[in-house]
Amino acid sequence: MKNILVPVGHSKNIESHLQYAVDFAHAFGARLYVVQVYGMRVKSGTLGKTDDVLERESLSYLNNLLDKIETKEVDIVVKSFKGKLIPTLELICKTADVDLMLVEPRSNAIKEAVFLGKISGKIIKKTNIPSLIVPESYVFKPMTNVLVAVKSAIIKKEQALVPLKQIQNQFKAVVNLLLVKTPFFKEGDFKVHSSLSSLITETVFTENPTTFHGVLQHCNSHEPDLLCVFRRKRGFFAKMWEKNVILKKDFYSPFPVLVLKGVK
């Protein structure tokens, strides 16, 4: 893992989130891109000046944040971009060859009942970038026990598994597979692709209304420090992804969640 992206907003948890990002990047010897995307403001006759001011303020904010944390000699690139959030993040990832994006669950404006806020939910839902959702105030530790939860083990794009493989190799992690039979089960869903089976130590089969219910049932027995799920049209979050905001009553994880993209 060489390049990691951290989109930065304004939240009470942002310093903790950045420290986790630095610690995670340090473990891999990766470059860390700390970026903020600000919206376009139109003000007649002063557009250029307004953009300049916004960019300076954004860069100043990011640099002040980094001054408050331990950067551990990680190669950190600080950038500010004007544009729409999702297209801009996609472009940054393509240009910088980003391997993984670290996402905060929510912002200050969101109620305690929310797990993923409007912005973070939008990032996870609408980008095709492998992402790691890091719980608030979570302190970095090696990911030695990974639980992969899926309702279908069909994988047509092996490249999608690269972040999981990199994490397993870096931390010598044990990776267990939870196959959840849901009402949407199709013949062949439990035929585990060789690219995935080669990573797995133990496979557990269960039957539940959703993949998330399966995770709830088996999480305590596995005691993972990382949950890995696939982003599919009818994947782990299914109807939860129809809205950007995800409530804690629908899904909550006390440990990081790795969301893999583009498996089909």
Side-chain angles (χ1 to χ4, degrees):
M1 198 171 294
K2 297 180 179 179
N3 299 303
I4 298 169
L5 174 67
V6 186
V8 172
H10 295 270
S11 79
K12 63 182 180 182
N13 181 62
I14 189 58
E15 289 180 32
S16 170
H17 185 66
L18 275 177
Q19 187 63 66
Y20 182 97
V22 167
D23 294 344
F24 187 89
H26 183 261
F28 284 90
R31 175 181 289 116
L32 187 64
Y33 288 88
V34 178
V35 306
Q36 186 170 60
V37 180
Y38 60 89
M40 293 174 281
R41 299 184 185 180
V42 178
K43 188 174 181 181
S44 179
T46 60
L47 180 58
K49 181 179 179 181
T50 302
D51 288 344
D52 289 343
V53 170
L54 289 173
E55 183 179 11
R56 286 199 302 270
E57 289 179 348
S58 178
L59 289 173
S60 176
Y61 171 68
L62 295 176
N63 284 312
N64 285 337
L65 285 175
L66 290 172
D67 286 341
K68 298 177 182 179
I69 65 173
E70 185 181 356
T71 56
K72 298 185 175 181
E73 298 184 353
V74 170
D75 183 8
I76 301 176
V77 179
V78 179
K79 293 286 185 180
S80 180
F81 298 91
K82 179 183 74 172
K84 294 183 178 180
L85 180 63
I86 300 305
T88 303
L89 290 178
E90 292 274 14
L91 181 59
I92 294 169
C93 288
K94 183 178 180 180
T95 304
D97 195 21
V98 167
D99 300 293
L100 186 69
M101 177 167 57
L102 270 59
V103 179
E104 274 194 284
R106 63 194 183 101
S107 68
N108 274 343
I110 300 300
K111 297 179 181 179
E112 289 296 325
V114 167
F115 174 62
L116 281 185
K118 185 176 180 181
I119 300 301
S120 53
K122 186 177 182 180
I123 290 173
I124 295 294
K125 176 182 176 182
K126 296 189 176 182
T127 67
N128 198 37
I129 306 163
S131 301
L132 185 68
I133 305 170
V134 183
E136 294 179 47
S137 303
Y138 194 85
V139 177
F140 173 79
K141 64 178 182 179
M143 300 166 175
T144 58
N145 191 359
V146 181
L147 179 63
V148 180
V150 296
K151 76 175 187 66
S152 173
I154 297 174
I155 296 173
K156 295 182 179 179
K157 296 182 180 179
E158 295 184 31
Q159 189 69 15
L161 293 174
V162 169
L164 176 60
K165 291 179 180 179
Q166 291 172 327
I167 288 172
Q168 182 185 46
N169 291 336
Q170 181 64 36
F171 302 119
K172 311 302 179 187
V174 172
V175 179
N176 295 315
L177 177 63
L178 180 65
L179 290 174
V180 186
K181 186 176 182 180
T182 74
F184 301 101
F185 179 81
K186 294 180 181 179
E187 192 67 30
D189 278 348
F190 283 3
K191 185 177 181 180
V192 182
H193 193 280
S194 59
S195 60
L196 178 58
S197 63
S198 64
L199 307 177
I200 303 303
T201 298
E202 179 187 2
T203 300
V204 176
F205 298 87
T206 185
E207 187 168 349
N208 298 92
T210 67
T211 312
F212 176 50
H213 283 88
V215 171
L216 288 178
Q217 180 181 340
H218 292 274
C219 208
N220 287 338
S221 60
H222 284 85
E223 297 184 343
D225 43 39
L226 176 67
L227 173 64
C228 178
V229 299
F230 295 160
R231 173 68 178 95
R232 289 171 165 142
K233 289 183 178 179
R234 295 206 63 84
F236 180 73
F237 293 97
K239 288 191 175 182
M240 280 190 280
W241 287 129
E242 291 177 3
K243 295 183 178 179
N244 292 332
V245 173
I246 294 179
L247 301 177
K248 286 182 179 178
K249 69 180 181 65
D250 295 320
F251 173 72
Y252 174 74
S253 175
F255 40 79
V257 179
L258 176 64
V259 184
L260 299 181
K261 306 295 185 76
V263 294
K264 286 189 176 181

